[in-house]
Amino acid sequence: MSATVVVRPTAAEIDPVRTARRRRRLERALAVLTPLVVLVAWEVAARTGAIPVRFFPAPTMIVSTAGDMVRSGVLLDDLAATLRRVVIGFVAGSAAGAAAGLALGLSGLVRAAFDPFLSALYTVPKLALLPLLLLIFGLGETPLVLLVALAVFFPTWITCMAGVTAIPEGYREAARAFGASRWDMFRHVLWPAFLPQLFVALRLSVGVAILVIVGAEFVQGNSGVGFRIWHSWSLFQARPMYVGICVIALLGLLCTTLVTALGRRLLPWAQPTDRR
Amino acid sequence: MTTPGATLSPTTDPAAAGAAAIEVRGVGKRYGTRDAVVALDGVDLTVRRGEFVCLVGPSGCGKSTLLRMMAGLHRPSEGEVLVHHEGTRRTPTAMVFQDYGIFPWKSVRANVRFGLDVAGASRAEATRTVDSWLARLGLADFADAYPATLSGGMRQRVSIARALAVEPEVLLLDEPFAALDAQLRTVLQEELLTLWQSDRRTVVFVTHSLEEAILLGDRVVVMSARPGRILADLPVPLDRPRSAETRGEPAFAALEQQLWTLLRDEVSRTFDGRSAT
């Protein structure tokens, strides 16, 4: 008995453009569909009493509570307070972290002086510093913003330092071969080679910033999304709590997307080339 | 830069044909402190103005190290390397690297412009020079592309254009075509040949390929396995201008055979992993 293996083009080979388009459409649909299915299942379960609404209010209930909170102005005030702390702390912390990362990455002597010291501080959970900051600066905005800045500083510093030390010697050599001065070297080689790492660091630390501010707002102050979540718990109200959690999740998504988009915009050369 | 007792006096008219452009005197290089590896040992070499010299030798023989010394990127452990130049430019040399040479964060145009930017050339002058070199190397259509989107051959063209754009008195090439496939390598060899024959400047070219060395060079300098020494310094008895057909001449094959005889023992010595003396 003989057999023949036949290898023929399938739709993917005959019309690759259309296949790719269809595939992309499917991926996009799935990305929307998955959360939608979860939400609908949740809604149905809550409405039919399969899960207790006291703890798990249906999505439509959360939305309507969110609507009430927006109308009363509470939600926007909270969001503004949190956003302000995050933005100021993030900008200050990442600027300091990037500067420290560059300095330690570029100079062996600076690295020798500060690396062990900073590495020791790195492992301290930043939330553990909040009581100390409260002690020093009192109640108010300063300790919260400072805490965010501290939490952002360390991952930024480490990632940036690693980025600078990983710049291949070949690039520096090429610049030196053309007589580049120290400033030329920085401007043409070190800074552009360092930028992609900076954006990796920013993407990481923007998440850290939101994480930390919510934790800090739990225990300190009387405004902010974190405060709202904690406060709702003390009133045994699940719905505003869920609103707060959703707002934080969306805020995180928005911030990460913004940083990624900015990086893509500023660093066209560092993007994957297989985009079509 | 002159030293008493020099056999060739660099103070004579530097523009005169036959004047030394590069002098390597008793250069040695050791790496490490204890059980030092001797990369170069007692190397003497003179490259005359306008001459195309090819350095060949087994891997690790220190030919790239020697080239880097000429570019001022490495310093010898002993001896000296003199690069005689008119002193009108920041660096008399320009270098083409095998890889990592061009910057992925700069467009083709910005890469070619780099040496001029560093040298502080005026904007208008730099733009004019860059455009002319982009055109000469067939890069004009890719001027705004980033290196990641280019093929290996195009990237090496960018690297060559960048080096030539600064109009260096000495052009140094470190195995520039080693990472390319055989066909592309042949094309680029011929392009370099044409470029050099229309605009002769001093060139030192490091390569593994004997064939490449003979096709391009006025002289082929053969180096020994580590520690690198100069084994032979042979003139290439082929007329210029040369072209792809030059490979077919009897003298070509004869020289290739002669060089291979010299090198064979050296290559097998490094292959066996035994260190010399």
Side-chain angles (χ1 to χ4, degrees), chain A residues 121 124-137 143 146-147 150-151 154:
Chain A
L121 287 182
V124 176
K126 299 308 159 294
L127 267 178
L129 295 178
L130 185 60
L132 181 64
L133 293 177
L134 289 174
L135 189 67
I136 299 171
F137 297 99
L146 215 56
L147 190 72
L150 270 174
F154 284 93

Side-chain angles (χ1 to χ4, degrees), chain A residues 137-150:
Chain A
F137 297 99
L139 304 174
E141 289 297 290
T142 316
L144 293 178
V145 170
L146 215 56
L147 190 72
V148 172
L150 270 174

Side-chain angles (χ1 to χ4, degrees), chain A residues 71-110:
Chain A
R71 273 189 291 281
S72 71
V74 175
L75 189 59
L76 293 185
D77 287 349
D78 282 336
L79 189 60
T82 300
L83 211 55
R84 218 180 118 244
R85 292 165 192 151
V86 167
V87 168
I88 299 176
F90 176 71
V91 169
S94 52
L102 264 178
L104 267 75
L106 291 178
S107 160
L109 288 181
V110 177

Side-chain angles (χ1 to χ4, degrees), chain B residues 47-265:
Chain B
V47 178
R48 285 182 292 276
R49 198 164 286 273
E51 198 175 27
F52 199 127
V53 172
C54 291
L55 282 177
V56 298
S59 300
C61 74
K63 51 193 191 298
S64 285
T65 305
L66 187 59
L67 194 76
R68 281 173 156 68
M69 285 177 188
M70 295 174 187
L73 295 174
H74 284 0
R75 290 174 189 285
S77 310
E78 58 200 35
E80 55 187 0
V81 176
L82 307 180
V83 179
H84 304 294
H85 60 98
E86 289 162 12
T88 50
R89 288 182 186 82
R90 197 152 171 183
T91 52
T93 60
M95 188 142 171
V96 177
F97 296 84
Q98 182 184 334
D99 47 19
Y100 286 127
I102 57 172
F103 304 122
W105 48 84
K106 286 178 182 284
S107 67
V108 166
R109 184 191 301 283
N111 262 296
V112 174
R113 213 189 149 94
F114 173 72
L116 296 166
D117 283 344
V118 165
S122 80
R123 187 172 286 266
E125 188 203 325
T127 305
R128 215 173 327 111
T129 313
V130 167
D131 283 344
S132 105
W133 280 108
L134 287 174
R136 284 179 75 173
L137 281 149
L139 292 163
D141 291 344
F142 304 92
D144 297 313
Y146 286 98
T149 63
L150 299 181
S151 66
M154 292 306 266
R155 279 185 227 173
Q156 257 343 11
R157 285 200 182 96
V158 175
S159 194
I160 292 170
R162 181 179 65 180
L164 288 173
V166 298
E167 300 190 337
E169 291 181 43
V170 178
L171 180 62
L172 306 168
L173 301 101
D174 188 12
E175 303 194 37
F177 307 143
L180 306 179
D181 68 59
Q183 282 106 38
L184 206 52
R185 169 188 267 253
T186 310
V187 170
L188 281 176
Q189 284 168 0
E190 281 156 26
E191 281 181 13
L192 181 64
L193 198 57
T194 315
L195 274 176
W196 184 78
Q197 281 166 171
S198 68
D199 173 25
R200 295 199 181 199
R201 56 185 77 237
T202 314
V203 175
V204 182
F205 190 108
V206 165
T207 178
H208 270 113
S209 160
L210 297 180
E211 189 232 353
E212 187 166 85
I214 299 167
L215 179 69
L216 298 173
D218 293 319
R219 274 159 67 201
V220 179
V221 175
V222 183
M223 292 181 65
S224 70
R226 184 174 291 163
R229 296 194 181 99
I230 289 179
L231 273 186
D233 185 345
L234 302 171
V236 177
L238 296 165
D239 294 334
R240 302 233 183 226
R242 296 179 198 158
S243 66
E245 286 76 52
T246 308
R247 290 194 183 85
E249 289 185 22
F252 194 104
L255 184 56
E256 194 171 2
Q257 186 57 48
Q258 189 184 352
L259 289 170
W260 176 236
T261 311
L262 275 166
L263 264 178
R264 187 165 42 208
D265 292 344

